Structures are given as structure tokens and as C-alpha cells.
Amino acid sequence: MKFHENLRFLMDARGIQIKELAAKTGISENTIKTYLRSASAEPKLSKAIALAKALETTVENLCDENSKNSYENIYFGSFFSGLSANDKKSVLALMKEMSKHY
């Protein structure tokens, strides 16, 4: 995924809106909107560092076009951590059963 796709994915996975990300990073809402809209807009290093820190990732993951697997893990981790203890046990049992078939 490209930078703008990675940024959108991480914002969605973390449940962070543009306004909140702007407040956390000191980057204007308009600049963040530009990053999200444009495949060619990329931040300077200082802004990439601020974005990565606010989104709890690394600059490499935020900017890497090959980071899809990392983000799938982040999304699953966010989803899984929100489950009840019983639901976690069920998901793990299902995954264990499914892994027998692959």
C-alpha cells in the first residue's frame, strides 16, 4: 500500500479521526486531508515521525509500500484486544482448528 493508503488504514484501525490526529501531531487538518487524498503527497521526515508516533507504528511501516501484512496484524490485534475473555478463547479455538486444515 502507498503512504496515503497506509495512513488511512492505520487511522481506521486505531479509530482516530483527522481532527484528533491533527491535535496529536501538530499537523494541520488540511495537510492530513491532502495526505489522505493524494497518492503523491508524502510528509517530510519530521511529520512522518509525528504521524507514526501518534498512530503507534514506525515510519517504515507508515511509508512502506509492502506493509500490508503488518497492518493486517495491527487490525487483527486491535479487534482481538476488544473481545471478551470467552470470545478470545472461541477465536483461538477456531484458529487452532482451522490451522489443522492448512
Side-chain angles (χ1 to χ4, degrees), residues 2 31 45-47 49 64 81 87 89 92:
K2 295 186 183 240
T31 298
L45 182 57
S46 61
K47 289 183 180 181
I49 291 169
D64 186 4
S81 67
D87 287 344
K89 286 179 186 178
L92 291 173

Side-chain angles (χ1 to χ4, degrees), residues 1 4 7 10-12 15 19 21-22 27 34 38 40-41 46 49 58 61 63 66 69 78 88-89 96 99:
M1 294 190 292
H4 72 287
L7 179 60
L10 283 166
M11 288 175 66
D12 290 345
K19 186 174 186 171
L21 187 59
I27 299 169
T34 298
S38 174
S40 62
S46 61
I49 291 169
T58 64
N61 280 340
C63 297
N66 298 311
N69 289 334
S78 296
K88 286 178 183 177
K89 286 179 186 178
K96 185 176 180 181
S99 70

Side-chain angles (χ1 to χ4, degrees), residues 1-92:
M1 294 190 292
K2 295 186 183 240
F3 171 77
H4 72 287
E5 295 169 316
N6 291 341
L7 179 60
R8 171 56 63 200
F9 182 90
L10 283 166
M11 288 175 66
D12 290 345
R14 300 282 191 241
I16 296 176
Q17 300 298 315
I18 293 170
K19 186 174 186 171
E20 182 182 355
L21 187 59
K24 285 184 171 191
T25 61
I27 299 169
S28 75
E29 290 181 41
N30 284 336
T31 298
I32 294 171
K33 288 175 186 176
T34 298
Y35 294 152
L36 292 168
R37 277 193 309 260
S38 174
S40 62
E42 294 186 358
K44 293 183 180 182
L45 182 57
S46 61
K47 289 183 180 181
I49 291 169
L51 289 165
K53 187 174 182 178
L55 294 167
E56 301 174 21
T57 192
T58 64
V59 172
E60 292 83 6
N61 280 340
L62 182 60
C63 297
D64 186 4
E65 289 189 25
N66 298 311
S67 60
K68 186 174 187 283
N69 289 334
S70 296
Y71 293 132
E72 288 172 349
N73 292 336
I74 289 168
Y75 183 78
F76 180 76
S78 296
F79 166 78
F80 189 78
S81 67
L83 297 176
S84 69
N86 284 338
D87 287 344
K88 286 178 183 177
K89 286 179 186 178
S90 297
V91 169
L92 291 173

